[in-house]
């Protein structure tokens, strides 16, 4: 089930419009997204990271950059995040990949040709998982995704987190909500090495990572590069996890990669 939400529609100059769209996932939860329409049926899906939303600066800036080049985009909130329904969970990697699958199916039925899916941070892992399980998108862009999901937990959850979650059934973490045993194991049991090795060699994958990423070390990008068969790696010198001060450079990298995979029927760039 899906429907447009007309009261929140926004109209822009040059024939560009934005529609708020509701897509119901397989759990009966409503996912809310923004469809930026240029008149071109070629479309890129944008996926946010952990505790972020479709209004994350990276998502909004990439949508704007794609619009300039005549490419439509859809950015949405995963279940339990932003405006979308459902409980927030610390893990949920595969459920978010299922959310993404629902979105892909909806947009395809609406007549869009999905030329790429982009994900930042946790969203980068989700789009790679999606590509490992599906063969319906020709290009994936992983922005600063984590390779070793067992890493980074002590910094986020505190020392002895495993003992505490086994004893109490959850870990109470400030600004994250309760991290349950189930959600923690969801993350620990998500094998990004296996996912990387399962991506079809016809799927083109770009990994972008900041050299000064303070959340996920740049070495993770090189691990993906070793395993994914049809892979390109781009390290942004000096960039942190959120690409502060490097947003324009990031947008340029993403747009150039997407332009490189389009055929002669690509939509023309729009006049500024």
């Amino acid at each position: 089930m899906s429907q447009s939400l007309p009261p929140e529609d926004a109209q822009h100059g040059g024939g560009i419009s934005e529609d708020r769209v509701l897509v119901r996932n397989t759990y009966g939860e409503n996912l809310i997204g923004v469809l930026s329409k240029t008149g071109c049926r070629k479309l890129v899906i944008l996926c946010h990271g952990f505790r972020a939303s479709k209004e994350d600066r990276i998502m909004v800036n990439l949508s704007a950059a794609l619009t300039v080049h005549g490419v439509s985009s859809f950015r949405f909130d995963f279940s339990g995040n932003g405006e979308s329904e459902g409980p927030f969970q610390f893990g949920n990697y595969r459920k978010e990949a299922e959310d993404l699958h629902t979105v892909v199916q909806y947009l395809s039925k609406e007549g869009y040709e999905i030329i790429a899916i982009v994900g930042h941070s946790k969203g980068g892992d989700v789009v790679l998982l999606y590509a490992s399980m599906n063969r319906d998108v020709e290009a994936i862009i992983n922005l600063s995704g984590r390779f070793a999901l067992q890493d980074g937990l002590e910094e986020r959850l505190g020392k002895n987190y495993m003992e505490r979650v086994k004893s109490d059934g959850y870990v109470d973490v400030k600004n994250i909500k309760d991290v349950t045993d189930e959600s923690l194991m969801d993350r620990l049991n998500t094998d990004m090495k296996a996912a990387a090795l399962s991506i079809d060699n016809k799927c083109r994958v770009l990994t972008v990572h900041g050299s000064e990423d303070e959340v996920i070390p740049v070495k993770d990008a090189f691990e993906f590069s070793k395993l994914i068969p049809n892979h390109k790696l781009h390290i942004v010198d000096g960039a942190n996890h959120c690409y502060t001060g490097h947003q324009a450079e990031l947008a340029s990298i993403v747009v150039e990669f997407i332009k490189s995979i389009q055929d002669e029927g690509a939509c023309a760039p729009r006049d500024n």
Side-chain angles (χ1 to χ4, degrees):
M1 174 182 175
S2 60
Q3 66 183 79
S4 294
L5 304 177
E8 299 292 337
D9 290 358
Q11 190 75 32
H12 300 275
I16 301 167
S17 65
E18 284 191 348
D19 293 344
R20 292 181 75 250
V21 176
L22 179 155
V23 181
R24 184 161 294 174
N25 68 13
T26 56
Y27 297 86
E29 298 159 343
N30 292 325
L31 309 177
I32 306 299
V34 175
L35 178 60
S36 299
K37 301 183 292 186
T38 65
C40 177
R41 305 306 287 183
K42 293 180 182 291
L43 179 141
V44 175
I45 300 175
L46 305 171
C47 301
H48 66 79
F50 180 68
R51 294 181 60 237
S53 76
K54 62 184 180 301
E55 303 307 323
D56 179 82
R57 184 182 178 190
I58 290 175
M59 301 293 103
V60 173
N61 286 350
L62 288 179
S63 177
L66 290 165
T67 296
V68 169
H69 289 271
V71 179
S72 299
S73 68
F74 185 74
R75 63 187 198 272
F76 72 101
D77 295 326
F78 286 114
S79 54
N81 292 267
E83 295 182 281
S84 292
E85 295 177 350
F88 172 84
Q89 293 289 340
F90 182 72
N92 262 16
Y93 287 83
R94 293 193 179 276
K95 185 185 178 188
E96 292 188 0
E98 292 174 15
D99 285 349
L100 179 54
H101 185 56
T102 300
V103 166
V104 169
Q105 289 181 313
Y106 163 71
L107 292 168
S108 297
K109 289 178 181 177
E110 290 293 306
Y112 287 96
E113 177 189 351
I114 300 164
I115 57 174
I117 304 178
V118 184
H120 174 244
S121 193
K122 183 185 180 185
D125 290 306
V126 171
V127 300
L128 291 171
L129 280 173
Y130 182 88
S132 75
M133 297 185 289
N134 300 278
R135 301 290 184 264
D136 53 1
V137 175
E138 63 179 292
I140 295 292
I141 303 179
N142 160 37
L143 307 177
S144 308
R146 189 183 291 277
F147 180 77
L149 291 179
Q150 70 274 17
D151 292 348
L153 289 172
E154 186 170 297
E155 293 87 344
R156 206 179 279 279
L157 305 181
K159 293 183 178 181
N160 304 315
Y161 64 86
M162 187 61 75
E163 289 83 350
R164 285 185 288 137
V165 77
K166 291 297 183 184
S167 171
D168 301 330
Y170 67 94
V171 178
D172 186 9
V173 183
K174 184 179 180 181
N175 298 327
I176 297 183
K177 302 180 182 178
D178 292 344
V179 177
T180 64
D181 179 48
E182 180 182 7
S183 65
L184 179 59
M185 295 312 298
D186 179 278
R187 170 165 169 161
L188 292 174
N189 290 330
T190 300
D191 187 344
M192 293 310 301
K193 178 179 180 180
L197 291 169
S198 299
I199 297 174
D200 190 87
N201 59 13
K202 294 180 182 178
C203 180
R204 297 181 62 177
V205 178
L206 169 67
T207 291
V208 184
H209 213 108
S211 67
E212 303 304 315
D213 193 321
E214 76 287 9
V215 177
I216 299 174
V218 68
K219 67 179 178 64
D220 284 33
F222 289 95
E223 294 301 321
F224 284 122
S225 186
K226 293 175 187 176
L227 298 172
I228 298 173
N230 191 354
H231 187 272
K232 181 179 180 180
L233 175 63
H234 192 121
I235 304 300
V236 180
D237 188 41
N240 63 12
H241 190 62
C242 293
Y243 295 88
T244 306
H246 296 266
Q247 290 278 325
E249 183 178 0
L250 175 64
S252 177
I253 293 165
V254 170
V255 168
E256 286 304 311
F257 179 76
I258 289 172
K259 285 169 61 180
S260 76
I261 64 176
Q262 292 190 65
D263 57 25
E264 294 179 357
C267 302
R270 306 191 67 87
D271 294 331
N272 290 321

